[in-house]
Each structure stands twice: as C-alpha cells, then as structure tokens.
Amino acid sequence: MATSFANLIQLVPPALVVTVLVYALYAFFTKYMSPAKKLAITLLWIRDTVNTMRNSEPHIRQAGLNKIFKNTFLEENWKEFSRTLHEYKFVDSEGVVKIQHRSTVPVSYFFTASAIIDKPLKVQYFKHLPGILTGVGIIGTFAGLLFGLTNFDATTPDSINRSVGLLLSGVRDAFYASAFAITASMVVTHLEKLSYQRCLHNLEELNSLVGKMFDSGVLEEYLATLSSQNISVEVKRFGDQLNESLRDLNRSMATNSRNQAETLVRDLAKVIQDSNDRLANQIENSLVRQVRNPLESFTDLVSKNVQSKSAASSINQKEIIKKIILANKDSSDTSITREEAQGF
C-alpha cells in the first residue's frame, strides 16, 4: 500500500510537466501558428494582386493600390505611405497631360516587420517559449529527484531495495518528462522560425512590388519641376508673410497715430485753456484799472460837491435864522410901542 502511494507521489512532477507542456503547445498552435498562417496567406494574396498591376499605366497605379489595400489590415500603413508620394504632371507622346506619382520614402519604412508581423503575432513572447519549455522540463527532473530522495528509506535492506526502485522509477519518469519538454521546445522553435520567415518573405516581396510601382530616385526634370514648385511655394509664403507684416505695421501705425492725435488734442486743449485763463485775467485786470480810476475821480468830485453844498446850505440856514431873529425882534418892539401908546 505504501509502495503504491509512493509510486503515485513520484508521478506528480512528470504529470505536472506534461500538463504544462500540453497547454503551452495548445496555446502556441492556436495563438501563433494559426494567425501566422492566415497572415502569410493574406500577404501572399495582396502580393499577387499587386503584381497584376505591374503593366498598368503609371498614372492609375495609386488608385488601383487604394482599392487593393482598402479594408485590409495594411490600410493604415498604405495611407501613411501614400501621403509621401509626390504628384507631378507630365506630357506623354500624344500631348496628353497626365498625373504621375514619385516615391520619396522607401516602402519598407511603413510596411515594417515589427508593425505587421511582430506585434499582431506576439512574436516576442513565442520567441522565448522554447526556453520556457526547457526550463519546465528541467524543473520536472529535479522535482522527481527530490520526491525520490525524500521517500528514500535506508533502515533495512528490504526498504533500501524498495526505495532504490522508487527512486529509479521517479528519475526515469522525470527524465521522460524532461526529454518531452526539450523535444517540444525544439519543435516549437522550428515551427516558429519557419512561420516567421514565411511571413517575412511575403512581406519583403510585397514591399519590393509596391516600390517598383512608383518611380524613385532623382531626375533632372523632376528636380527642375520640384525646384520651381518649391520656389513658387516659397514666394507665396513670403508674400503672405509680407502681407501679414504690413497689416501688423498698418495696425500698429494706426494705433500709434490715434494715440498721438489724442495726446495732441489733450495738449492743445490744455494750452488753449491756459491761454484763455491768462487772457481773462489780463482783461479783468485791465478793466479794473480802467474803471477804478474814473470811479475814484468821480467819487472825489461828488464828495467835494456834497461838501461845498453842505457848507453853502449851512451859511444860508444861518442867514435865515438871523433874519427870523431880527424879524421877531422887530415885531416884539412894535407891540411894546403900541402898548405903551395905549397906556398913555
């Protein structure tokens, strides 16, 4: 009974190793191999479709590629690349003006392996999966040895024989599990590299075909056209900047003129006010001087007349009083004489 239980304990490490390996292989085939196969097929289909346009007219190639890449996982990469295409016009042998595009940046700058293959397939993780599987196998081997040594009984010869048998069986199972893990890691490495190289090969061929669809390099005519366009653009930009500078200058001059005019008006108003005040004071002083002297003379003259009239009236009053006194005196003398005459 104890022996059978020990045998079961010895099977735990290999069983765990096998379970981890089975789960890792399932994840590898479902999350890497299947998407990598679909990616390689899609890249191959796009490559073959682009290849059918090699003999088409140059001026319609961009429109055709727009339709090919539309609603695919490469649509955003194509849009970014198409923005770098330089459009220029040319006259064909029949005198018809046509539009053609010239590539200014290599296609591989946008259709990169890191963006199209590595990121969607999570290559950085599955690239290290073989090492993880190997490590799991080594851990299973040491775990089997530890379980065998832990249950080793050296008390009696019979127990030693049983313990040695359990230890050897445990080590055997652990080595089997480790060998299985190493084999699985080698298979995973081979399949991972094979799938990655297939996708990378299709992508490189696609980049090569798309690059051949558009002229590249530097031609004299192209440089002349580009230079004239650049000069026109620079002249227009310079004119816009000059107009903007002139508008700013006019606005600043108008603002300065308005401020200066307001300041000048305030200064003139102040000067006029001060001048008016001084003129009013001068006129007032002059009028006072002109009116005061005649008034003083007139006042002296009136006072002298009043004084002379007062003196004359006092003399007349004295003469009248004297006359009254004399008249009274005469009347009193006459009445006395009459009384005396009657007495006699």
Side-chain angles (χ1 to χ4, degrees), residues 22 124 164 172 180-181 214 250:
V22 170
Q124 291 299 323
V164 170
R172 180 196 60 198
F180 179 63
F214 306 99
N250 291 332

Side-chain angles (χ1 to χ4, degrees), residues 168-180:
L168 292 177
S169 63
V171 171
R172 180 196 60 198
D173 296 335
F175 274 108
Y176 281 152
S178 178
F180 179 63

Side-chain angles (χ1 to χ4, degrees), residues 203-217:
L203 179 61
E204 290 177 351
E205 288 190 351
L206 176 62
N207 289 339
S208 177
L209 288 174
V210 174
K212 292 178 180 178
M213 289 292 173
F214 306 99
D215 294 334
S216 60

Side-chain angles (χ1 to χ4, degrees), residues 17-26 28 125-126 128-140 177-189:
V17 171
V18 171
T19 303
V20 172
L21 292 177
V22 170
Y23 176 77
L25 291 175
Y26 174 78
F28 174 73
Y125 172 75
F126 289 103
H128 300 288
L129 183 61
I132 296 174
L133 297 179
T134 304
V136 171
I138 294 172
I139 292 173
S178 178
F180 179 63
I182 294 172
T183 303
S185 66
M186 294 174 64
V187 172
V188 167
T189 301

